[in-house]
Amino acid sequence: MGDLLEQLARIVGPANLLAGDDLGPDWTHDECLTVEPVRPCCVVRPASTPEVAAVVAACRRAGRPLTPRGGATGLSGGAVPAPGAVVVSFDRMDRILEIDEENLAAVCQPGIRLGQLDEALAPRGLVYPVEPGEPSASIGGTVATNAGGMRAVRYGVTRQHVLGLELVLASGQVLRTGGRLCKLSSGYDLTQLVIGSEGTLALVTEATLKLQPRPRHRRTLLAPFADLERLGRAVPGLLASGLEPLLLEYLDALTLAAVTQRADLPLGLPADLAERTSASLLVGLQARREDQLEQDTAEAAERLADAGALDVYVLPDHAGRALVEAREQAFYAAKAAGADDILDMVVPRAAMPRFLGAAGRLAGEHGALLAGCGHVGDGNVHLSVFLPDPEARHRLLDRLFALAQELGGAVSGEHGLGRAKRAAFAALADPLHLAILARLKQALDPEGLLNPGVGPDPAWAAHDPFAGDAPGEEPPVPPLPSTEGAALP
């Protein structure tokens, strides 16, 4: 162990190697509420791609696992180190290398924070539209988790905005993928393979990001509804109208009260209306021209009223911005209120009211309280779970994950699987799917040194369809279903 520490100190400099008493508790966890902190072997803080490559090569020779770390704002335990791991922190690799206005691209190191990038782009009239709600999140972390956020209903998630990557592989070699290209169809897309892999396939040391023009005019509407079913029915009409909202967020009454109280933001809704409100829809609109925004606002308000909204409030600009910022703090409001877990699941957006109704009934059966908000425009549900008994909570979560999958959804929409959800994912996934993931991991990290405990489990390879086949022997093909007695079309 001493030899490895000496090598790492020579690579990054003694001041950028943290071990022993220099390791504070912040290095042991991320923001996940349920994954126990783990103390790493040490923390290295490289400043360049060559230093990252040298760190990886040294750890590989020593057989020491690595855990990459960005802003540690993740909610699934993906940045919690494996026991005895070397944490590779990218906080010193925090530069914007170039803003290319002609190609609408930005080249960034992984440690740059979203808030820093936005500040640099705003004077140029540009925006990187991925906004997961935490400006201190790093580019590297959002690439690792394929982060989404409130704007995903209009712009999509991280993978829609990454043009290329620079990677350090588990071998210590450096690889570039993609580039400043609008399209690419040259073989397998390794950029997209790495996005969302949570540091288990390679370490990202540079990202080339797609930028958008920054719209100048915005408007926020708030529409209270008596029940989630009516709220849910309003969403398809808005999306089919061509309005292209920037955000479509639902907040149940409890969550709306919590976030506005935390932000000291009184909404001033009439008391009788508040009593009748089960959930509210927050609608964000944007446009290049003010007259277009006025037309869109009027149409959206009319459609919401026709869909059964109890009222529609067009908020003043400052109040609209404040309410969106308060919504972004929903996790911290739930954490402060003592939530025992924060769930991130995704279902087809038309299935969201059905999912939420069934989730409420399951919570009642298990003695739990659920408070919710989410990106209703893309079916992403966030639930705060208040249920202290860990065994009862585990049973409830299993039922909720299974319910999401039955409705055509998945156990995570934007936070990744991390350590918190890997077992739930494996329990519900097709074994063949798991085996393919294990093969990919084996191909790029054969020694299993990159973020072990996150991503594919080697045990998933037990379902490998090619395992044990003799050369040239074809794997068994399942029989076709019988058509006896079936009517021809």
Side-chain angles (χ1 to χ4, degrees), residues 59-126:
C59 290
R60 184 188 179 202
R61 288 192 297 269
R64 181 71 59 168
L66 300 104
T67 298
R69 178 184 169 102
T73 61
L75 296 174
S76 294
V80 176
V86 172
V87 169
V88 183
S89 172
F90 290 98
D91 60 328
R92 294 177 65 216
M93 297 179 66
D94 62 350
R95 292 187 298 128
I96 301 171
L97 302 176
E98 184 181 357
I99 297 175
D100 181 347
E101 296 188 47
E102 290 186 339
N103 286 305
L104 288 178
V107 184
C108 302
Q109 291 184 312
I112 189 74
R113 307 298 175 117
L114 290 174
Q116 294 173 306
L117 178 59
D118 194 60
E119 288 177 6
L121 294 174
R124 300 170 184 255
L126 299 173

Side-chain angles (χ1 to χ4, degrees), residues 335-355:
K335 185 177 179 180
D340 298 293
D341 204 347
I342 307 290
L343 298 186
D344 153 47
M345 287 169 287
V346 63
V347 296
R349 58 181 173 236
M352 185 176 271
R354 182 179 169 193
F355 174 84

Side-chain angles (χ1 to χ4, degrees), residues 268-277 313:
L269 302 182
D272 63 324
L273 178 65
E275 290 176 0
R276 291 185 290 139
T277 298
Y313 297 90

Side-chain angles (χ1 to χ4, degrees), residues 222-227 231 269 273 277-281 308-313:
L222 181 67
F225 284 82
D227 57 68
L231 185 153
L269 302 182
L273 178 65
T277 298
S278 173
S280 296
L281 186 63
L310 298 174
D311 207 334
V312 180
Y313 297 90

Side-chain angles (χ1 to χ4, degrees), residues 10 56 89 115 156 163 187-188 203 279 306 325 339 358 376 390 399 443 445 461:
R10 285 196 297 269
V56 171
S89 172
L163 300 171
Y188 298 153
L203 303 189
D306 290 346
E325 290 171 2
V376 68
R399 298 280 300 278
D445 182 19

Side-chain angles (χ1 to χ4, degrees), residues 36-68:
E36 291 295 323
V38 176
R39 184 179 175 83
C41 149
C42 63
V43 175
V44 292
R45 301 172 61 232
S48 66
T49 298
E51 288 187 5
V52 175
V55 165
V56 171
C59 290
R60 184 188 179 202
R61 288 192 297 269
R64 181 71 59 168
L66 300 104
T67 298

Side-chain angles (χ1 to χ4, degrees), residues 356-370 385-387 396 399-400:
L356 292 171
R361 291 189 292 273
L362 287 172
E365 294 173 10
H366 290 77
L369 171 66
L370 297 182
V385 182
F386 297 83
L387 183 58
L396 172 60
R399 298 280 300 278
L400 292 172

